[in-house]
Amino acid sequence: MRLLPTILDARRLPAPADTRDLKFCLGWDEQRLAPLWHDFGATPHLLVYGDGETGKTNALRLAIRAITSQYSPEDARILLADPGRGLLKDVPEAYRVGYAVDGDGLGKLAESAAISVSKRQPGADISPEQLERRDWWAGPLLFIVVDDYDLFSGGSGTPSPMTPLVQLLSQGVHIGLHLIVARSTSGAMRSIMDLLLRRMWELGNPALLFSYPKEEGKFIGEAKPRTLPVGRAQLVTRRTIKLVQTGLVSTGPVHPGAG
């Protein structure tokens, strides 16, 4: 029986698909030992959960590398929230539209981003054909990448600094807005009550769930706590759970794409 590798070099994964919205390979699916993709054109956002040192930050790095290899800075920009400052070098300055390391900074950037992309919302005069073509606005896709989201949120009863974006999540595909949010599994049962995370899940976006202890319980979909090798995760949707070994990204020099 063929088994998933314990380490999967991201260079072994296929390049992002040539589509209007990013479609990138997360890693290999356990059942088919074949590439497993996330398509932002179908599900515009992605949740990532995991204990420390399990692979969640690497998953964000994998997405960032896909964005910068698939698009030029004119076609896609990245708003990065990264309190540990471990991802800054992965986002070339030309792609960076904002950078936050604390809640106040993230709140200001989220408010500014919400104002900007809300102008792209389709009005009543937009036909279904225009909705498909997405030709009533111009500008780059906006990817908001957040690591250690739990360090930005103020705790129970405190509004998330990303609250201004919540009402726009359902329009993600139409307005070129994509969120990739990673959070520790510590206190994860309470986290799903966070307005942003709950709305992302309610809209049918998947969650990449890395190893975490049984004490945290079952908190998203039908996924149960599992102890997994580093880089291995459950890809959880409302209907399925798939085991995937995510691609391990080298932290060497970044070579931004040209489209």
Side-chain angles (χ1 to χ4, degrees):
M1 179 182 294
R2 297 171 65 199
L3 301 174
L4 282 173
T6 54
I7 297 177
L8 176 61
D9 192 323
R11 290 172 294 187
R12 297 177 62 187
L13 302 179
D18 187 15
T19 55
R20 182 176 63 175
D21 291 284
L22 182 66
K23 182 179 180 181
F24 80 106
C25 185
L26 293 166
W28 285 355
D29 174 14
E30 180 190 46
Q31 291 186 334
R32 300 178 297 121
L33 287 183
L36 187 63
W37 300 79
H38 178 76
D39 183 357
F40 284 99
T43 47
H45 316 297
L46 178 64
L47 288 159
V48 182
Y49 281 93
D51 243 8
E53 305 297 325
T54 58
K56 60 184 174 63
T57 297
N58 176 76
L60 300 187
R61 184 172 286 118
L62 188 66
I64 290 169
R65 295 293 177 95
I67 296 165
T68 57
S69 66
Q70 179 72 3
Y71 301 109
S72 72
E74 289 71 34
D75 294 325
R77 295 293 181 91
I78 297 172
L79 191 163
L80 178 64
D82 177 27
R85 298 168 173 83
L87 292 169
L88 183 60
K89 62 182 180 297
D90 291 277
V91 183
E93 190 172 353
Y95 287 87
R96 229 178 286 151
V97 74
Y99 178 56
V101 295
D102 57 36
D104 288 342
L106 179 55
K108 292 174 183 176
L109 289 174
E111 185 174 357
S112 177
I115 292 171
S116 178
V117 297
S118 65
K119 298 173 184 176
R120 302 176 176 183
Q121 292 187 89
D125 59 327
I126 299 299
S127 68
E129 292 76 21
Q130 285 179 289
L131 205 63
E132 177 65 26
R133 294 195 304 267
R134 205 166 65 191
D135 61 0
W136 69 93
W137 60 267
L141 301 175
L142 177 60
F143 290 88
I144 299 179
V145 180
V146 183
D147 199 9
D148 292 321
Y149 176 67
D150 46 306
L151 300 184
F152 288 105
S153 54
S156 179
T158 304
S160 163
M162 296 182 69
T163 296
L165 292 162
V166 171
Q167 63 179 349
L168 298 170
L169 292 176
S170 63
Q171 297 286 335
V173 171
H174 302 315
I175 62 177
L177 174 67
H178 304 292
L179 272 65
I180 311 166
V181 180
R183 188 202 188 281
S184 167
T185 47
S186 178
M189 184 67 74
R190 295 190 306 274
S191 81
I192 205 62
M193 298 309 295
D194 176 274
L195 190 60
L196 180 86
L197 302 182
R198 186 172 75 244
R199 187 59 175 154
M200 288 174 71
W201 177 252
E202 288 173 349
L203 290 170
N205 297 287
L208 200 57
L209 186 57
F210 289 90
S211 181
Y212 74 103
K214 62 181 180 180
E215 288 79 10
E216 296 297 340
K218 187 169 78 171
F219 65 90
I220 195 161
E222 292 302 314
K224 298 177 181 178
R226 295 188 63 176
T227 301
L228 299 168
V230 174
R232 192 163 301 176
Q234 301 175 79
L235 183 64
V236 186
T237 70
R238 290 186 175 279
R239 298 184 183 89
T240 64
I241 300 173
K242 296 180 179 179
L243 200 62
V244 55
Q245 183 70 33
T246 56
L248 177 63
V249 180
S250 166
T251 55
V254 179
H255 302 285

